Structure formats: C-alpha cells, structure tokens
Amino acid sequence: MTVSLSAQKTDMNQFIDNLMSRMTLDEKIGQLTLLPGGDVTTGQLMNSPLAERAQQGRLGAVLNFKGADKIKALQQIAVKKSRLGIPLLIGLDVIHGYETVLPIPLAQACSWDTAAVEAGAALAAREASADGINWVYSPMVDVAHEPRWGRIAEGYGEDPFLSGLMGAAAVRGYQGRHNEYGKDHVMACLKHYALYSATEAGKDYSCVDMSRLRMYNQYFPSYKTVVEAGVGSVMSSFNIVDGIPATANKWLMTDVLRNQWHFDGFTVTDYASINEMTPLGYSKGATSAVRALKAGTDMDMCALAFDRYIKSALDDGSLTMADVDKAVRRVLEAKYKLGLFDDPYHYCNPKQTEKSIYTPTNRKLARDIAAETFVLLKNDNNVLPLKKQGTIALIGPLADDRSNLVGCWSTGDKPAKYTTIKEAMQKYLGSSAKVVYAQGCNIYSDSLRQRAVEFGRPLPWGDTAKMLREAVDAAKGADVVVACLGEMAEMSGESSTRTDLTLPDVQKNLLKALLNTGKPVVLLNFAGRPTVLTWESSHVPAIMNVWFAGSETGDALCDVLFGDKVPTGKLVNTMPRSMGQLPIFYNHISSSRPVADGNKVFRKYQSNYIDETTGPLYPFGYGLSYTTYKYGDVVLSAPSMTKDGKITASVTVTNTGDRDGDEIVEMYIHDRFSSIVRPVKELKGFRRIHLAKGATATVTFDIDATTLSYLDAEGRPFLEPGDFEIMIGPNSRDVKKAVLNVK
Ligand code: BGC
C-alpha cells in the first residue's frame, strides 16, 4: 500500500514537473485564478471573456457555473483549445445536498450521526458531480457561539469535538472513504479558516479578536480534524486573526495549517477577500496580493489580484518565482488527484445527470436523514405523536410553501418538484384524517418586509386581521393545531445577522390566538439558528425545532409527527432564555463567583443577571423523544490512571418508555484544577445507540491522554496530574459523574 501510494506520488510529481516546465508565467498565474461563471447560456459562452481566458490558459477554476452541458463546453475550451490543455476546477457551494436538498448542516449535526452526515455528503457529491461540479465549498466547521450570526446555519454548532467529527464525515462522503476521488466524488473545501464565526456581535464580515488559548482549544480543533481527514482544499476567512487578515496571515496559513497540521492540499481565498484587505485597513493592490501569496494562499477567488499584480511583484522582487511555483504546483496536484488530466469530462455527462439526480433512492435517504434532525424540546401530555384521525388545523406561513423549506445556501434546489407540508400531510393521511390549512399571518411585519430580506424566496403576503380570523376559525373546528412558524430561508445564512431572535410579533400574536382557542398546539419552529423560545416554552404544550430540513421536509415531518419514527435529535447549540445572555455556550470557563444554572433569585456580587434566570433555556445536547431513558451511575474501570494509561467509563442506559428509539449518550470531562484554567465541561465522546423498549445497554467510552489533554498557547498538548470529573448523560446538564485521579 505504502509502495503504491509513494509510486502514485512519484508519477504525480513527474507529471507536474513536466507540465510546469512548459508553462509560461501567464499560464501559471492563470492556475491561481478563480472567477465566477456568470449567467451565460451555452451559446453565449463561446464568445464570453471567460471562454477567452480559458482558451488563453489564464483561468484555473470557475464557480457558480451550473449545468453539465455548459460545463462540458467550457471544459472543452480549456482542454482542447488552450496551449497546454489544463482542465478547470468547477466549484460550487454545495452545502447541504444538491437538487435533493438535505437539512442545513446545523440540523444535520443535531442527529449526532456521523454515518448520516457521511451518507448525505456522498449523496451531494453524486448529484453535484453528475451535473459537472468537481469541487464543493463545504464543510464549514466554524464553531459558533453566536446565534445572531446567520451563518451558524452552515456549521455544526458550538462544540469543537462534534464539529470536527461531523466535518470529517462530510469529507469522507465528498471525497470518498479513503480520499480516493472516485467517479462520484468531488474535492471538498474546509472553510472558513479561521475563526470566522467569532465575529464581534455576530455581524458578518466583522472583527475577530481572541486569545491563542481559545483559538487552539475551542476554534482550531474542528479545522484540524478535517485537515487530518484529508480534505483537499482550505478556504481562508474574511476576518482578521491576531490583527492580520486570515488570507495574508502566514502564521495561520503556513505555520499552523501546513507545518503543525501537515495540510498538503491547496488554499483558496474567500470571495474577493484579497481586495477586501483595503477596507479592512491593512493593505492595497499589489501589497495585498503579495502578502496573500507569501502567507500561503494559493488561489485567488474572484479578486483578480494575482492576475493583476503577480508580474509586477516578480519584477520588483517582492515575489520570487518559487513563491508562484509552490502555489501552482498545489493547484495542479488537486486536478491530478481528481483525475481531471485523465478524463476532464467525467463530471459532465448529461446522461449521467438524469440518472443520478433527485432519484427515489436519494430522496428516501434525505427523508431519513431529515427525520433524525428534528429536536423535540417540549411535549406536555404527550401531545405528540399526533393521531392519524380527526381534524388537524395546519397553520402558518411556512405550512404551504415549497421554496423556503430547504433553507439558505441551496444552490441546486428545484422547489417546483418539492411537496409542501400541507400536501405531504394530506397525502400521508389520505382519508383517515382531515387537514384544514390557513396561512394565519405574514412571516414578519411590514417594516421588515420593506428591508427586502427575502432574496428570491418570497412568501405570500396577506391582510393580517383577515388571516388571523381564518386561522382561529380553522383551529376552533380542529382537534389539534400544528403551527409552522419561525424564520424563512434567507433569514439565516450569509449576511443574515439578526438582533432579535424571538418570534416576530405577527407570529406571536397568531400563536397566542391559537392557544386561546384551548386546542392543543404543536409549534414547529423553523430556524437556521438557535432562537429564543422562552415565552413559547412556558405557554405552548409541544415544541419541535425542525430547522430547515431540505427538499423532503414534508414527508420527514409526517414520519415523526405521526409517530412512524420517534424524534432523536439533540441540540448542538445552547438555547438562550433571552438575547441579553448572548453569547452563551456550555463549554465556557467558570466564573470566579459562579451561580448555578436554573437559579431564579438574583444574587448580588455573583455572576448573574438582575433580570434573568441563570443559564440556558435548553442546554447543549438536549432533546426529548416519544420514549424515555434512564441512566445508571458512571462506572470507571479504575479510579486512577497514569498519564500514559488508559481506562474506560461506562453507564447503563435503559429505554423506560413504550417505544423503541435511538438515544444519544454524551460524555464530558472537567479538569478540576489546572495551571491553565479549563472549561466547566468539554464533550469528549458520544454514541448514538438503538434501544428497543424495555432494553438496557451498557455504553463504554475509552479514556486516555487524548481525551483528557488541553493545549497551551503554542498548541502543544499538556496533561497535568489531578482529579478529572467524568460526566455522562443525555445532555450537558443532566449528567452523572465519577472522579478519575490522574497520576
Ligand atoms: C462565502 C463562502 C462561499 C463563497 C463562494 C463567500 O461569500 O463566504 O462561504 O463559499 O462566497 O460562493
């Protein structure tokens, strides 16, 4: 195996040496240039500036260029008409599926099911590659503590360990289990390196400033895990890191990424970020381009800065040919690994497109994955599951819409093909129950509508008083009310920062009116982020967070609402009680004057708010099911271990309810005293287990130095002797613990 890998590497090196020896400077700079495809038709393409560049060999990659026919035409120009025939990388933001849309990544993470995430990414790769794409800008593993930041939707939540494992699973799905880049695989791109999610006050494209300790321990581990999984490319972030734009930050792009973590793929900037160093107040023009390349950036996304400035920088000596060659080699290696030099067209076969996209198999998989992502937050009096009989009032602006269910960053969606929740429910129930629908309210108030936040996914707009009357009438005549409320797709995602994460007033008024009818109400909360549901949690009997679950949302919801499947998802972000608590996350450092979560009485001179109960509304890792589980005590295989030793921690888990189900068992650690103060809890293991009703299983976690170590400000692991709490439970709050002494 080793022999053949190194032989492959020798072949690749020889091939690239040979190719590079024949390349002109313009052709080399071309490989470092990524441009947007624009909205040209196949016919227009022939005379477009893009085609001209491809023909001149002055283009390395394109993005946002869709359709197997069109891509094939452009690839043919690059391969057949350019001097050296170097094929193009074709990139797209395939973030959560393609035409078969999967739940947003934040929701996928709530499944805590790495196999599902891997299978979802493999599905996305199959569909996108059949439509000509060979490079996807995913996974995003920016650990996010800040729900005002709309891009929290695109990542895997607030925990570095979980985010890393989810990201690595996605890479396996995209690139192949062993990064073999087979026929149905694409190259993945880890983003946004680094710290993009820690932007101040949750405002996009804003400032980030944090200690190296926090970087290494809370923000870097997820990127590192994905690098170790063999991701082929890495995208730098828009923000500064230690005062220097990530794209021009040599410490970040080379010292950490390549020298400490041994990344051997290529790096790309985020959209035009070389030019954005100017408004950041860092540098202009040629200086930005030089600093980016010198720092370890290989490809320029859409700034045309390498194209414009590399030549003059070589002339004035601020760059050397070796700087350029290093980057060119990495881009060519990526193309080689993808097999593009052998078969530049294997990604653009229109016959394959039809066979592979939005197939019944893909839809079934997406439906199953979606059902795992819903998080049941509350279920008083077992309102859920619903009976498949009687009359159901289905209310809300999202109940009969197709295009918003998929969520943000759905670049391959075809909403006309998808069913709405209303349609899915009517089909699911047939004649056994009646579904009465009313929109009930607009998605938000008129004033927000004027700010035009819909971005091409509008919802019907009606008269508020009239819609409210219709909804109340429908509720009065029903046995149960299902309210589909929350965000619309584009209220999360890029550039969708919000200051208020409570339900918009118009929606809350509707909810109050529905509750006033006295009928049991189920709130399905659509959200691309953790929202504030404090009022709802004390007034609405059943609440399920359904995020944005993709093209198969309607069917997946029916599976869970009517009890064919049980809810199994658990939160990957802490849900706050109020906006003023933000940022709030479970793995924080203790206060010197801590107050226990849940404390309602204000304590002067302690770490709490005058006007808010301490701690979250729902903790990280929380989620209910239609069945219940009982956890036994944590049992350690030994009460102590040496630093290089190994023990196990086990619990028994019993399904005490009357349904079979899947339970996510979570293990956290806490180092009681450390010369570098550590978080109150750190997730270090989890298992998703299936338990038949009445059954008991023993779940065992291995514990060794890797589980217990922390990193210092240089990124070096350290582990000190002392007592560690080993905590296991159904969420980060309700844990049982045992103490392990490390000698
Ligand atoms: C986003 C990236 C995305 C890129 C290309 C940028 O605005 O920050 O996440 O991959 O555009 O579309």
Side-chain angles (χ1 to χ4, degrees):
M1 185 73 178
T2 323
V3 175
S4 94
L5 271 182
S6 68
Q8 276 170 21
K9 189 132 196 181
T10 313
D11 285 352
M12 177 172 82
N13 289 343
Q14 280 170 358
F15 177 86
I16 293 174
D17 286 345
N18 178 297
L19 184 58
M20 283 179 66
S21 71
R22 290 180 289 135
M23 288 171 84
T24 63
L25 180 57
D26 274 333
E27 285 164 343
K28 287 183 176 173
I29 297 171
Q31 288 307 308
L32 310 185
T33 302
L34 162 62
L35 288 176
D39 218 4
V40 290
T41 60
T42 316
Q44 288 166 337
L45 178 68
M46 296 308 161
N47 302 314
S48 68
L50 206 63
E52 199 180 317
R53 271 186 169 273
Q55 184 163 351
Q56 292 164 347
R58 292 178 56 230
L59 184 66
V62 284
L63 56 70
N64 297 346
F65 192 68
K66 281 181 58 199
D69 283 333
K70 227 162 64 168
I71 291 171
K72 185 163 189 181
L74 184 63
Q75 196 67 288
Q76 267 168 341
I77 296 172
V79 172
K80 294 198 173 146
K81 297 201 173 166
S82 76
R83 206 176 64 87
L84 294 173
I86 302 175
L88 301 167
L89 287 173
I90 312 285
L92 189 71
D93 289 280
V94 177
I95 308 294
H96 50 112
Y98 191 66
E99 193 173 310
T100 308
V101 186
L102 298 159
I104 55 169
L106 182 69
Q108 289 187 41
C110 291
S111 71
W112 297 59
D113 186 346
T114 50
V117 171
E118 180 180 333
L123 178 161
R126 265 196 314 279
E127 293 201 359
S129 64
D131 210 18
I133 308 299
N134 53 38
W135 183 30
V136 297
Y137 304 134
S138 172
M140 173 183 121
V141 291
D142 300 323
V143 161
H145 296 167
E146 179 49 85
R148 285 175 292 182
W149 188 60
R151 302 200 77 172
I152 198 169
E154 299 170 50
Y156 301 115
E158 74 190 28
D159 184 75
F161 176 76
L162 180 68
S163 297
L165 292 182
M166 291 292 163
V171 169
R172 289 196 297 275
Y174 290 134
Q175 300 190 162
R177 277 247 139 143
H178 308 288
N179 300 309
E180 68 268 26
Y181 298 110
K183 196 178 130 305
D184 292 335
H185 296 126
V186 292
M187 184 161 285
C189 184
L190 161 70
K191 68 189 191 186
H192 306 86
Y193 181 67
L195 319 180
Y196 181 37
S197 47
T199 173
E200 277 176 2
K203 226 161 91 191
D204 228 346
Y205 324 117
S206 212
C207 173
V208 174
D209 193 6
M210 76 167 67
S211 71
R212 291 260 168 117
L213 266 181
R214 179 164 276 188
M215 286 185 205
Y216 272 119
N217 286 291
Q218 286 194 318
Y219 284 78
F220 280 1
S222 51
Y223 304 121
K224 182 169 182 264
T225 305
V226 173
V227 166
E228 285 165 356
V231 71
S233 63
V234 169
M235 186 187 296
S236 57
S237 54
F238 287 125
N239 52 279
I240 55 168
V241 172
D242 274 344
I244 299 172
T247 305
N249 191 320
K250 181 178 166 293
W251 173 75
L252 188 73
M253 300 303 291
T254 299
D255 299 352
V256 176
L257 183 65
R258 295 198 184 272
N259 299 342
Q260 290 184 19
W261 300 348
H262 311 295
F263 173 64
D264 71 350
F266 78 100
T267 60
V268 61
T269 72
D270 203 344
Y271 209 102
S273 68
I274 300 185
N275 294 344
E276 292 179 13
M277 291 184 206
T278 305
L280 269 177
Y282 180 70
S283 55
K284 291 199 294 199
T287 311
S288 304
V290 167
R291 289 183 178 174
L293 194 73
K294 282 263 184 212
T297 296
D298 300 321
M299 187 182 275
D300 166 5
M301 184 194 283
C302 304
L304 273 178
F306 285 174
D307 181 82
R308 240 175 246 137
Y309 300 116
I310 282 184
K311 271 191 185 163
S312 57
L314 285 168
D315 288 343
D316 69 22
S318 44
L319 282 178
T320 64
M321 209 48 220
D323 295 325
V324 178
D325 281 347
K326 198 157 55 177
V328 173
R329 178 174 293 275
R330 291 175 186 148
V331 173
L332 293 174
E333 282 178 359
K335 295 182 177 184
Y336 186 96
K337 287 178 192 160
L338 271 168
L340 289 176
F341 289 108
D342 290 335
D343 180 6
Y345 310 116
H346 86 245
Y347 288 100
C348 19
N349 172 358
K351 279 197 201 118
Q352 189 65 23
T353 312
E354 271 163 42
K355 274 194 287 180
S356 310
I357 296 188
Y358 204 55
T359 60
T361 317
N362 289 359
R363 292 184 59 195
K364 162 85 172 60
L365 178 60
R367 176 177 177 165
D368 289 343
I369 294 175
E372 286 190 13
T373 66
F374 306 140
V375 182
L376 183 64
L377 297 173
K378 186 178 173 191
N379 192 20
D380 281 359
N381 308 320
N382 294 329
V383 176
L384 288 174
L386 300 176
K387 296 190 182 62
K388 296 177 191 171
Q389 63 190 49
T391 301
I392 297 160
L394 181 66
I395 313 287
L398 291 151
D400 196 24
D401 179 66
R402 302 172 206 283
S403 75
N404 278 278
L405 301 179
V406 292
C408 61
W409 277 120
S410 299
T411 50
D413 65 326
K414 297 262 172 62
K417 295 188 179 174
Y418 311 148
T419 38
T420 73
I421 298 168
K422 182 182 99 176
E423 290 162 354
M425 207 180 261
Q426 282 169 335
K427 187 164 159 232
Y428 190 89
L429 293 169
S431 56
S432 61
K434 194 168 155 202
V435 179
V436 193
Y437 161 76
Q439 185 180 328
C441 68
N442 296 318
I443 189 86
Y444 41 64
S445 58
D446 284 329
S447 58
L448 199 53
R449 192 184 190 204
Q450 279 149 21
R451 291 176 69 95
V453 299
E454 293 156 347
F455 292 115
R457 296 186 189 269
L459 284 166
W461 205 264
D463 175 76
T464 302
K466 181 167 173 278
M467 287 190 294
L468 189 68
R469 271 197 312 276
E470 287 165 359
V472 169
D473 286 348
K476 280 182 180 158
D479 299 299
V480 64
V481 179
V482 176
C484 301
L485 301 176
E487 296 193 311
M488 65 193 301
E490 292 295 333
M491 284 169 87
S492 50
E494 186 168 354
S495 178
S496 292
T497 303
R498 295 178 66 197
T499 59
D500 183 358
L501 303 181
T502 57
L503 271 191
D505 284 357
V506 281
Q507 296 193 30
K508 195 171 281 175
N509 288 343
L510 168 67
L511 195 55
K512 284 179 183 164
L514 296 172
L515 288 164
N516 281 342
T517 63
K519 301 290 172 151
V521 175
V522 177
L523 169 61
L524 300 183
N525 186 46
F526 288 80
R529 46 158 56 92
T531 53
V532 178
L533 294 174
T534 307
W535 185 89
E536 293 74 10
S537 77
S538 51
H539 292 89
V540 184
I543 306 175
M544 190 154 74
N545 247 16
V546 296
W547 317 109
F548 290 100
S551 54
E552 311 312 305
T553 296
D555 290 333
L557 267 176
C558 290
D559 292 338
V560 175
L561 283 176
F562 295 101
D564 288 344
K565 291 182 181 164
V566 299
T568 54
K570 292 196 176 179
L571 296 174
V572 295
N573 274 100
T574 303
M575 286 186 70
R577 291 175 192 275
S578 49
M579 294 299 296
Q581 291 180 310
L582 298 179
I584 184 169
F585 48 98
Y586 88 94
N587 48 358
H588 59 86
I589 304 287
S590 173
S591 153
S592 58
R593 297 183 181 185
V595 172
D597 283 357
N599 183 59
K600 289 193 168 57
V601 186
F602 171 63
R603 299 209 176 130
K604 190 75 174 167
Y605 305 120
Q606 301 290 310
S607 188
N608 56 175
Y609 297 99
I610 287 179
D611 55 356
E612 186 55 279
T613 301
T614 301
L617 181 66
Y618 296 112
F620 174 84
Y622 178 86
L624 303 173
S625 187
Y626 297 156
T627 186
T628 47
Y629 300 96
K630 188 168 180 303
Y631 281 65
D633 291 332
V634 177
V635 179
L636 302 182
S637 59
S640 64
M641 65 176 242
T642 54
K643 281 207 265 178
D644 56 1
K646 206 175 188 170
I647 62 138
T648 59
S650 311
V651 285
T652 56
V653 184
T654 305
N655 182 341
T656 47
D658 56 8
R659 299 286 308 257
D660 298 352
D662 283 10
E663 169 67 341
I664 296 153
V665 182
E666 305 165 25
M667 181 188 70
Y668 300 85
I669 64 141
H670 172 54
D671 185 354
R672 281 186 172 162
F673 295 100
S674 169
S675 56
I676 298 172
V677 169
R678 294 179 62 167
V680 294
K681 270 176 201 148
E682 297 169 70
L683 180 76
K684 292 293 179 174
F686 61 89
R687 289 278 149 61
R688 202 186 143 100
I689 54 164
H690 182 76
L691 274 183
K693 60 181 172 190
T696 297
T698 301
V699 179
T700 300
F701 295 96
D702 291 332
I703 294 178
D704 61 13
T706 326
T707 328
L708 301 173
S709 296
Y710 208 55
L711 299 171
D712 69 11
E714 252 83 68
R716 291 173 305 220
F718 80 91
L719 176 58
E720 294 172 332
D723 285 346
F724 286 76
E725 288 165 10
I726 310 296
M727 296 166 272
I728 304 182
N731 61 63
S732 62
R733 183 189 59 199
D734 304 316
V735 290
K736 296 198 169 180
K737 62 173 93 155
V739 177
L740 168 69
N741 181 262
V742 175
K743 295 185 195 305

